[in-house]
Amino acid sequence: MFDVSPLLPEGTPAPSARWSGFPDYNFVGGHIDRATVPVDDLRAAVDRALARDGHDIATYRMQSGPLGYTPLRTFVADKLKRYAGIETTAEDILLTSGSLQAIDLINKLLLRPGDTVIVEESNYGGTLSKLRALGVNMVPVPLDAEGMRMDALETTLDDLAAQGITPKYIFAIVTVHNPTGTILPLDRRHRLLELAKNHGVPVFEDECYSDLTWANTRPPALRALDDSGLVIHIGSFSKTVGPALRVGYINADWPVLGRLVALKTDAGSPVLEQMMLAEYGPAHFDAHVRHCNAVLESKLDAMIDAVNEHFGTTVEFTRPPGGIFLWLKLPEGVTTPRLAEVAGQQGVAVNPGPDWSLQYDADRWIRLCFANPPVETIRDGVAKLAAICHDEFGVPEISGNVRR
Amino acid sequence: MFDVSPLLPEGTPAPSARWSGFPDYNFVGGHIDRATVPVDDLRAAVDRALARDGHDIATYRMQSGPLGYTPLRTFVADKLKRYAGIETTAEDILLTSGSLQAIDLINKLLLRPGDTVIVEESNYGGTLSKLRALGVNMVPVPLDAEGMRMDALETTLDDLAAQGITPKYIFAIVTVHNPTGTILPLDRRHRLLELAKNHGVPVFEDECYSDLTWANTRPPALRALDDSGLVIHIGSFSKTVGPALRVGYINADWPVLGRLVALKTDAGSPVLEQMMLAEYGPAHFDAHVRHCNAVLESKLDAMIDAVNEHFGTTVEFTRPPGGIFLWLKLPEGVTTPRLAEVAGQQGVAVNPGPDWSLQYDADRWIRLCFANPPVETIRDGVAKLAAICHDEFGVPEISGNVRR
């Protein structure tokens, strides 16, 4: 057989293992509730869109050009106004293959190895791993129960300025933070923009979870509070309609967006999802999101009940006001990378803290996604996780009112 | 306003111009015939697939894992066997966001700046521009009327070996070559594989156009003729169903494919197109492709008629046995980059040779896509192109039997 390995660049990893399906108790990844996927409305939507514009798939990007399917950009502009207070138009929105591609494009435009960026100390794992791979210096800003601390951001910016360093951006998940679930209050938003503007640093606002709030309201986006072009805003339909669709978007002023378009060399993102969402959105999106939020809140409560029952007072968490994650602090003595490894072997998948946080005690934390598993599975999985944790670390000593 | 430019890496281009729609006479790009897009069958297909598996979009990549939607991989494996003679299974196929992503992944795995690859002298423009951007040394092999010349390939491999250089791959579009339209005969295919194997060089086989032959038959793919894992094979549904769908695939042995999977960090390609094609393919693909080929051949003939009428004997070309392009040599004195520029200003878009060829006289050639414009537009556009060519270069002197 031909051996490719002599031709591979140094450090190329071995081939992946073959995929063997999802774990029984899957608390990782940004998966959503299966039942809430509005299959019938989506079927009707894609059918109408294909009936109207189907022959346009004969050309790359249909008749819409490099920004993506115009009717979906129109809906996104409308949604951004109504949900996030952003005044924009379809001409300043670039549709992407999920918000992952949005992050890649923005990083490709702005970052080179050795550059510096400011990030929330706990963060989306994908952002951290991408920045690491790019050889970028990440300066973390601590969070409290309301999100990024503005005193710490100010100190960080001042310290970097004293070193002659202008960070390339401040990456901020201000509306339903990943993984903590916090929503940054309005006064902090104004302060963040003021600090960023004073230091000439763009703000990279990631709002993938922002539609998912139990109160069905939220403060205006950072991009809504700035009219100077300081903010690059990204979002996604992954958490509201379905992650497998891979539809995200970037909203930014043309000096940035027009350069991102030039870097998007994929001949356009696939259009069928864009057509479907464009047709689905105006009639159904608002009611759908409210329904999702009710379902998600009930699943969160089921998870919290299970955590209280099986972990008791040995764990700490704040009930998030939205999103799909519970960010949980385990007792002293537990190291979550080890817990994740052992639990994974027994069919319980959890994200260990160090993948999602740069904070000093990151290995005490885990991230649990409560959106996808049925309530019964949430209960059983949390019980099983507590049992595994006890077997491995001796805690929690009491689960379900029973001393182990 | 905030000025991002001080933060941009050196050499960052200016923002793109706003898109202003397709030109009136659009002979560029891999667009296909609008009427052949099988809209009604696609509507029925996506509806059935969503009805069955729609709730699975709640998880990244549905229930199929990182290779992509299993039913489409199953159809691709079947199609590769029946059309190209490749014995493979769904487990050795990776679905991608168009074949562009396939090319990017393979390049990312194998290439680093300074590496050497062998390419057909005239070639897909996207391949040439990607390799240039990667800082890779391209060694061109000349073509004749049957495709890549094996004597030249042998000399090239020997010369490189004498310099101690092992090329990272031979990039080969052997079945309906882009832009020349040639189909490499079987004996040359065997010889190509023999040479590649003797030199330990993988073959990167791009078959995006291979289903489009007027005879509805073709020789076995290079990958079908090799059982040693030497060949990495890519293909696409862009030219048979629609380029806006962005569905491509890679077929390779696991030592390569399992590494490409690991490099595909986009959380999966969008699934809706995959679902639709998986449902559409088994019942309709074969008859659809035959219908497309008949339509395309008639459009090719319309273009050849128009070229003969308006350019007469001043141009040279070979009638391609398939595909969507006519590769046309203009008379002495014409430089096609200039022709493309002037014609573009007047609404006639053509690809100038130097974007698609490394050969010495590349600037005498243009590539014309005949698939997308209606026959009437083909006729008018070719007439207009001849008039523009005459105005700019004084040739052709006779068009439509009339001396200008």
Side-chain angles (χ1 to χ4, degrees), chain B residues 33 69 152 195 202 225 235 266 296 331 385:
Chain B
D33 182 81
Y69 188 58
L195 290 168
L225 301 171
D266 59 0
L296 289 172
L385 183 65

Side-chain angles (χ1 to χ4, degrees), chain A residues 36-256:
Chain A
T36 55
V37 175
V39 172
D40 290 340
D41 290 335
L42 294 176
R43 287 168 62 191
V46 72
D47 190 63
R48 280 196 305 270
L50 274 173
R52 188 183 58 229
D53 292 339
H55 286 285
D56 286 347
I57 69 173
T59 44
Y60 285 98
R61 312 180 184 94
M62 305 179 75
Q63 298 291 324
S64 290
L67 294 175
Y69 189 56
T70 306
L72 182 58
R73 289 188 283 118
T74 302
F75 174 69
V76 170
D78 171 66
K79 171 178 117 64
L80 286 176
K81 177 168 184 181
R82 290 184 301 108
Y83 281 70
I86 298 173
E87 297 283 346
T88 190
T89 73
E91 294 308 299
D92 285 332
I93 288 162
L94 171 62
L95 299 176
T96 56
S97 300
S99 60
L100 277 177
Q101 188 185 41
I103 294 173
D104 284 342
L105 288 171
I106 293 163
N107 285 346
K108 191 171 169 187
L109 174 64
L110 286 167
L111 303 184
R112 294 296 177 273
D115 280 349
T116 296
V117 300
I118 293 176
V119 298
E120 289 147 329
E121 191 170 57
S122 295
N123 215 310
Y124 168 45
T127 296
L128 301 182
S129 60
K130 281 174 189 296
L131 291 170
R132 274 192 203 103
L134 290 169
V136 163
N137 177 33
M138 290 184 269
V139 182
V141 174
L143 311 167
D144 62 20
E146 296 193 309
M148 204 194 300
R149 278 175 41 199
M150 289 303 116
D151 59 331
L153 176 62
E154 182 173 12
T155 307
T156 299
L157 282 164
D158 288 345
D159 286 354
L160 288 171
Q163 299 169 55
I165 296 172
T166 306
K168 285 300 182 83
Y169 58 65
I170 302 166
F171 183 76
I173 314 174
V174 293
T175 311
V176 187
H177 180 261
N178 182 357
T180 66
T182 55
I183 297 175
L184 198 75
L186 186 60
D187 58 335
R188 290 201 195 183
R189 293 176 185 235
H190 283 296
R191 181 64 179 149
L192 192 160
L193 291 168
E194 185 179 34
L195 290 168
K197 188 174 282 189
N198 290 346
H199 284 83
V201 180
V203 178
F204 180 172
E205 178 178 40
D206 180 354
E207 289 220 328
C208 288
Y209 295 92
S210 62
D211 298 336
L212 304 179
T213 63
W214 315 150
N216 292 301
T217 61
R218 45 155 299 173
L222 294 170
R223 182 155 168 87
L225 301 171
D226 167 76
D227 57 5
S228 74
L230 189 70
V231 182
I232 306 166
H233 180 101
I234 71 170
S236 170
F237 289 96
S238 287
K239 311 311 171 189
T240 46
V241 185
L245 297 179
R246 318 302 306 119
V247 179
Y249 48 83
I250 307 174
N251 176 226
D253 285 11
W254 197 250
V256 169

Side-chain angles (χ1 to χ4, degrees), chain A residues 2 7 13 16 18 32 34 43 47 55-56 58 60 91-92 168 202 228 239 254 258-259 272-273, chain B residues 2 7 13 16 18 31-32 34 43 47 55-56 58 60 91-92 168 202 228 239 254 258-259 272-273:
Chain A
F2 175 72
L7 297 176
S16 301
R18 297 277 187 180
I32 68 169
R34 284 178 59 84
R43 287 168 62 191
D47 190 63
H55 286 285
D56 286 347
Y60 285 98
E91 294 308 299
D92 285 332
K168 285 300 182 83
S228 74
K239 311 311 171 189
W254 197 250
R259 288 178 165 107
L272 205 55
E273 293 81 3
Chain B
F2 175 72
L7 297 175
S16 301
R18 296 278 187 180
H31 303 309
I32 68 169
R34 285 177 59 84
R43 287 168 62 190
D47 190 63
H55 286 284
D56 285 347
Y60 285 97
E91 293 309 299
D92 285 331
K168 287 301 183 79
S228 73
K239 311 310 172 190
W254 197 249
R259 288 178 165 106
L272 206 54
E273 292 81 5

Side-chain angles (χ1 to χ4, degrees), chain A residues 243-305:
Chain A
L245 297 179
R246 318 302 306 119
V247 179
Y249 48 83
I250 307 174
N251 176 226
D253 285 11
W254 197 250
V256 169
L257 202 72
R259 288 178 165 107
L260 296 173
V261 169
L263 295 177
K264 192 170 183 297
T265 56
D266 60 0
S269 290
V271 294
L272 205 55
E273 293 81 3
Q274 296 179 20
M275 295 168 74
M276 181 172 80
L277 290 171
E279 195 71 24
Y280 172 81
H284 301 292
F285 187 78
D286 293 355
H288 168 70
V289 167
R290 284 181 173 260
H291 171 63
C292 289
N293 285 337
V295 170
L296 289 173
E297 187 174 19
S298 73
K299 283 190 155 185
L300 168 63
D301 287 336
M303 177 167 274
I304 288 176
D305 286 350

Side-chain angles (χ1 to χ4, degrees), chain A residues 293-358:
Chain A
N293 285 337
V295 170
L296 289 173
E297 187 174 19
S298 73
K299 283 190 155 185
L300 168 63
D301 287 336
M303 177 167 274
I304 288 176
D305 286 350
V307 165
N308 285 334
E309 181 177 353
H310 297 290
F311 284 92
T313 54
T314 63
V315 294
E316 296 167 41
F317 61 87
T318 304
R319 184 179 189 273
I324 63 177
F325 305 116
L326 187 65
W327 181 236
L328 196 68
K329 188 176 187 182
L330 279 290
E332 182 109 39
V334 177
T335 57
T336 55
R338 174 69 186 155
L339 176 63
E341 186 188 348
V342 178
Q345 289 159 1
Q346 299 183 48
V348 184
V350 302
N351 289 118
D355 290 353
W356 302 81
S357 180
L358 305 170

Side-chain angles (χ1 to χ4, degrees), chain B residues 63-116:
Chain B
Q63 298 291 321
S64 290
L67 294 175
Y69 188 58
T70 306
L72 182 58
R73 289 188 284 118
T74 302
F75 174 69
V76 169
D78 171 65
K79 171 179 116 65
L80 286 177
K81 179 169 182 178
R82 290 185 300 109
Y83 281 70
I86 299 172
E87 297 282 346
T88 190
T89 73
E91 293 309 299
D92 285 331
I93 287 162
L94 171 63
L95 300 175
T96 56
S97 300
S99 61
L100 278 177
Q101 188 183 42
I103 294 173
D104 284 341
L105 289 171
I106 292 162
N107 285 346
K108 192 171 169 186
L109 175 64
L110 286 167
L111 302 184
R112 294 296 178 272
D115 279 349
T116 296

